[in-house]
Amino acid sequence: MSFNYARDADDVVTVTMDMPGRKQNVINREFGEAMFEMIERLEAEQDLAGVIVTSAKKDFVAGADIDMLFALEDPEVAFDVLEQLKAGMRRLETLGSPVVAAMNGTALGGGYEVALACHHRIAVDDDRVKFGFPEVTLGLLPAGGGVSRLPRMIGLQASFPFLVEGRQVNPKRAHEAGLIDELAADRDDMMAKAREWIAANPDATQPWDQKRFRMPGGDPRHPKVAQMLAVAPAMLQQQTYNNYPAPLSIMSAAVKGAVVPIETSTRIESRHFAELVTGKVAKNMIRAFWYQLNEINGGGSRPQAIDPIDTHRVGVLGAGLMGHGIAYVTAAAGMDVVLKDVTRAKADEGKARVEKILAKRVTKGRTSEREMAAILERITATDAADDLEGCDLIVEAVFENRELKAKVTQEAEERLSDDAVFGSNTSTLPITGLAEASARPTNFIGIHFFSPGDRMRLVEIICGEQTSDRALAKVFDYVLKIRKTPIVVNDSRGFYTSRVFGTYINEGTALLWEGNNPHTIEVAGRKAGMPVGPLALYDEVGISLAKHIRDQTRRDLEAAGETIDEPPHIEMLDIMVTEHGRGGRAEGGGFYEYPEDGPKHLWPKLREMFPPSGDAVPFDEMIERIMFAQAIESARCFQEGVVRSVADANIGSVFGWGFAPFKGGTLQYINDYGVEQFVARSRELADSYGPRFDPPDILLDMAKKGETF
């Protein structure tokens, strides 16, 4: 049995959800069948005083079974499946006896919708517990009654952050927002309060089933609500560029459902859901952010034969913008940190930056002062290499200079045990080359954090030619311990993320070099689904840094006797940096100006330096060039074995540099476009703009065989 059923001497039935063979209760066909059995049994009870719905698991209900949702292809089938499930919830809330949701743990999505179908909601006050609707993050809509019931409970405008934005909150904040009616100290207290409420409210009904019900704050016909709704869709479209259908669909279903009876409202949300769940965007997002992300975090790219390896003491070399962020996340995860720089003053400055991060978290209530003090206590700021003794992992985060990295590598290794691992936080320099300075190249590996290191979720782990499986396993486990997402790649110049990311900003500069309007280029980047335009992003990365990397690459290739094939627009780096001193945002300005008293804006002289051509690229073609450049280079990386898995490629692109999430990553973009159609379009772009758009052999082969990534 999925639900345990017990009636006590006070005629209160406690239904305890406990799906066999699962760590969590999830809403699937088995759950639906158990719910109908439970409701039929409840409806047959005589003299029923009330019902308590709770869970035997750690959490209340985790939500819908993603496998079931992902398998839905026919909108009519999706609609029918949902309507059958919601019919049970409607019968529960119209049972005629008070029903209490006693939530001992997290209730997200469909799990919280089960609670909404009850008359009263009590939750254990535990900060680890979360409530909310994450469906929008997978391109879906809360269709188990959430879009209909939550606005009726707390108001339309108050519900939008939870429904449209996917906001999740702990019990205290849920109580403040009206999502939870009561808080309990523990499970016993929760059950006692549930019984007390049932005894005090024998005639409980849902507010929306009462004759004089009025939606809190007013329905869409109320002047203030109508004023808000007049601008909300336009603001939403401005934010999403119409790439994400779910937010607007949620808003539409909520507004339309607010002026009709609850039964009609729930059917409206079912229709919207059926369209979304069978659409491309939801399939892309579920594939990436559920299946592939779980594959990565589950250790899909980790050497399976190596037992888990814990990390206890980490040396961070370089206390600058990247180093202090690495020190923070490491210490926050419970490890001791030695934060070393060339002077004690610089090391102290790095620790002070960590303190500022923590102070902000304390102000926002995310960290206690006691936790802040404990984290700072774990960080030792120093300029003495001898303090690195006892470290079992080193993360080097100094400037991208081969000689400097070699120096700090040798200095640190003299103090390390034989099994300690040395990781270089580099974004471009090949790990095999950097490992030449190491006395133990099997313990040398790349650990590429993304800026800012304390906030960016991805870490790219790079294996050199001699990197051992043990070193990879240790670093993989370390990245999971600091609550980041690891992808594993093989060595190459630029590795995977920097190599493919570079094609985005370089395609933007190529369009500018050709005489296209810089503003149009930036809008095309955002419309394509990127977080910011390519020129703005180039400024953030640093035009001077890009020039430095290009110059280093030239020297390395020339020393190796290799030919250099550079596109004409690469000259833009010299024009911007050498001739005009425009090195990027950190140096006062690049493609943009950054006035102290106003927002940033494009540098006016760009149109003088790169005047309009007589043949501007069409807007939609700009978008395709921006996206195809990244997807093609990603396919090349996969073909060359630089990126090891489709999951690493897709998640790496989205988390690493913000590749359009609604497309599910760079390789999924090709699937979504259609491999055969992508190859044909690539050839057309190559004919017009050059060989960088030539489809690699792997795509030609896949198109012939009808395969996808």
Side-chain angles (χ1 to χ4, degrees):
M1 289 289 291
S2 295
F3 293 0
N4 299 320
Y5 189 101
R7 179 166 175 163
D8 63 20
D10 295 322
D11 298 322
V12 173
V13 170
T14 299
V15 177
T16 306
M17 299 175 287
D18 189 12
M19 299 184 73
R22 288 181 176 270
K23 293 182 179 180
Q24 296 175 309
N25 297 309
V26 296
I27 298 175
N28 56 14
R29 287 182 172 84
E30 178 190 350
F31 184 97
E33 291 170 0
M35 174 175 280
F36 276 106
E37 290 177 12
M38 171 195 77
I39 291 169
E40 288 179 354
R41 192 169 176 182
L42 288 171
E43 289 173 339
E45 291 279 6
Q46 299 294 317
D47 302 319
L48 179 63
V51 181
I52 301 173
V53 181
T54 190
S55 168
K57 310 289 188 184
K58 178 182 177 182
D59 295 322
F60 185 66
V61 182
D65 186 337
I66 299 298
D67 292 342
M68 177 184 73
L69 299 182
F70 191 70
L72 293 172
E73 299 287 348
D74 186 334
E76 290 186 12
V77 173
F79 178 86
D80 291 341
V81 167
L82 193 56
E83 283 293 286
Q84 290 172 19
L85 178 65
K86 288 199 290 190
M89 293 188 183
R90 182 61 179 153
R91 287 167 65 185
L92 181 65
E93 70 180 356
T94 57
L95 184 64
S97 300
V99 182
V100 177
M103 293 181 283
N104 54 296
T106 291
L108 295 174
Y112 180 65
E113 287 172 311
V114 171
L116 283 177
C118 300
H119 303 118
H120 194 68
R121 286 151 292 279
I122 305 174
V124 173
D125 188 8
D126 182 343
D127 279 344
R128 294 170 295 183
V129 170
K130 299 296 179 186
F131 302 106
F133 295 107
E135 285 89 343
V136 70
T137 63
L138 294 177
L140 298 174
L141 170 150
V147 173
S148 297
R149 291 189 176 94
L150 189 64
R152 284 171 166 79
M153 197 165 77
I154 66 173
L156 266 172
Q157 190 166 358
S159 70
F160 283 164
F162 299 102
L163 297 172
V164 178
E165 300 172 18
R167 181 179 298 176
Q168 298 177 24
V169 290
N170 64 22
K172 280 191 177 68
R173 293 182 182 270
H175 184 242
E176 292 168 0
L179 275 67
I180 301 299
D181 299 304
E182 279 190 87
L183 296 176
D186 51 34
R187 187 182 186 96
D188 290 342
D189 185 37
M190 174 184 70
M191 297 302 288
K193 287 184 174 180
R195 294 176 187 281
E196 290 171 6
W197 191 88
I198 287 172
N201 297 272
D203 300 319
T205 59
Q206 295 285 36
W208 43 89
D209 286 326
Q210 299 169 15
K211 289 183 179 180
R212 295 185 178 181
F213 171 71
R214 294 290 183 273
M215 183 171 287
D219 67 24
R221 294 165 294 197
H222 189 283
K224 287 187 178 179
V225 178
Q227 186 178 12
M228 179 270 293
L229 293 175
V231 297
M235 293 176 62
L236 199 55
Q237 288 175 323
Q238 187 178 26
Q239 294 170 1
T240 65
Y241 286 87
N242 284 330
N243 289 326
Y244 300 87
L248 194 59
S249 184
I250 292 169
M251 186 177 291
S252 176
V255 172
K256 288 185 289 188
V259 294
V260 296
I262 187 73
E263 291 88 351
T264 306
S265 179
T266 58
R267 284 199 299 274
I268 289 171
E269 69 180 27
S270 293
R271 292 192 184 99
H272 279 264
F273 174 83
E275 182 180 5
L276 290 173
V277 76
T278 57
K280 274 190 172 185
V281 171
K283 299 298 186 191
N284 290 340
M285 296 180 75
I286 292 172
R287 181 178 281 107
F289 305 127
W290 182 258
Y291 291 110
Q292 294 179 345
L293 185 56
N294 284 340
E295 175 188 333
I296 289 171
N297 289 332
S301 297
R302 185 191 187 279
Q304 299 300 306
I306 308 293
D307 291 335
I309 306 173
D310 200 6
T311 296
H312 304 282
R313 182 176 170 88
V314 178
V316 179
L317 309 184
L321 292 177
M322 183 61 75
H324 84 270
I326 298 170
Y328 161 68
V329 297
T330 303
M335 290 168 273
D336 292 330
V337 176
V338 178
L339 182 59
K340 182 189 177 300
D341 214 311
V342 291
T343 67
R344 178 62 186 269
K346 287 186 176 182
D348 287 340
E349 185 179 340
K351 185 171 180 178
R353 289 196 185 104
V354 174
E355 188 171 3
K356 286 182 180 179
I357 294 172
L358 287 163
K360 287 181 181 178
R361 291 183 62 84
V362 170
T363 301
K364 294 179 180 179
R366 296 176 181 173
T367 300
S368 69
E369 290 189 2
R370 183 178 179 181
E371 289 170 330
M372 174 178 172
I375 291 170
L376 290 173
E377 181 68 22
R378 287 194 283 270
I379 300 176
T380 300
T382 185
D383 60 351
D386 287 345
D387 288 337
L388 297 173
E389 290 184 8
C391 289
D392 50 326
L393 174 65
I394 296 291
V395 181
E396 166 267 299
V398 302
F399 189 66
E400 289 283 270
N401 179 281
R402 190 182 303 279
E403 290 72 27
L404 176 60
K405 287 179 181 290
K407 178 181 177 182
V408 298
T409 298
Q410 293 165 352
E411 180 183 61
E413 283 189 342
E414 291 176 2
R415 278 88 178 170
L416 301 180
S417 62
D418 290 341
D419 61 351
V421 172
F422 190 101
S424 177
N425 176 58
T426 176
S427 59
T428 57
L429 298 175
I431 293 301
T432 301
L434 294 178
E436 292 175 0
S438 171
R440 293 166 297 176
T442 56
N443 287 357
F444 196 98
I445 196 168
I447 311 177
H448 178 203
F449 284 79
F450 293 75
S451 185
D454 59 305
R455 295 201 300 271
M456 292 295 282
R457 188 172 174 179
L458 188 76
V459 174
E460 183 180 33
I461 303 173
I462 309 106
C463 295
E465 289 180 4
Q466 298 184 63
T467 301
S468 68
D469 280 353
R470 184 190 176 279
L472 170 57
K474 180 177 177 64
V475 172
F476 195 100
D477 294 344
Y478 160 74
V479 173
L480 289 180
K481 189 173 181 178
I482 61 174
R483 300 180 183 87
K484 293 188 182 291
T485 299
I487 65 167
V488 180
V489 304
N490 291 324
D491 201 12
S492 103
R493 186 168 295 278
F495 318 126
Y496 170 64
T497 56
S498 294
R499 176 173 161 180
V500 182
F501 160 73
T503 64
Y504 171 52
I505 57 177
N506 286 336
E507 201 58 36
T509 56
L511 287 162
L512 182 62
W513 182 266
E514 294 165 16
N516 292 283
N517 187 298
H519 176 73
T520 305
I521 295 168
E522 294 294 84
V523 174
R526 294 194 296 273
K527 173 64 178 171
M530 305 301 291
V532 295
L535 303 180
L537 198 51
Y538 222 138
D539 269 8
E540 296 295 334
V541 172
I543 306 172
S544 290
L545 177 60
K547 181 179 181 300
H548 169 79
I549 292 171
R550 183 210 60 185
D551 294 344
Q552 180 70 58
T553 301
R554 283 177 173 174
R555 290 192 294 270
D556 290 349
L557 293 178
E558 287 172 358
E562 298 181 30
T563 58
I564 303 172
D565 183 18
E566 296 178 331
H569 66 264
I570 202 71
E571 294 180 28
M572 186 177 290
L573 297 177
D574 297 308
I575 295 172
M576 292 292 290
V577 178
T578 306
E579 297 182 19
H580 295 278
R582 309 288 298 185
R585 183 166 191 168
E587 297 179 35
F591 294 112
Y592 280 77
E593 293 274 37
Y594 300 92
E596 294 182 1
D597 56 350
K600 70 179 182 182
H601 57 83
L602 285 161
W603 185 35
K605 287 189 178 181
L606 283 180
R607 295 304 274 157
E608 297 176 19
M609 294 167 53
F610 310 105
S613 66
D615 188 20
V617 174
F619 184 74
D620 288 344
E621 192 158 299
M622 281 189 184
I623 292 175
E624 281 199 322
R625 283 178 56 177
I626 284 169
M627 301 302 273
F628 269 61
Q630 298 174 78
I632 289 170
E633 192 65 22
S634 190
R636 288 195 186 106
C637 287
F638 190 77
Q639 175 178 287
E640 296 168 14
V642 173
V643 63
R644 295 184 172 192
S645 73
V646 173
D648 283 345
N650 284 329
I651 295 300
S653 66
V654 176
F655 288 0
W657 68 91
F659 184 87
F662 73 102
K663 291 296 185 182
T666 46
L667 296 184
Q668 181 57 27
Y669 177 87
I670 299 173
N671 291 343
D672 183 80
Y673 199 97
V675 177
E676 189 174 349
Q677 295 87 339
F678 185 91
V679 166
R681 183 59 178 146
S682 294
R683 285 171 166 157
E684 292 174 355
L685 292 173
D687 289 341
S688 299
Y689 302 110
R692 66 184 180 278
F693 289 106
D694 282 330
D697 291 342
I698 188 173
L699 293 183
L700 300 179
D701 189 53
M702 289 171 65
K704 288 179 182 178
K705 296 178 179 178
E707 297 176 343
T708 60
F709 285 106

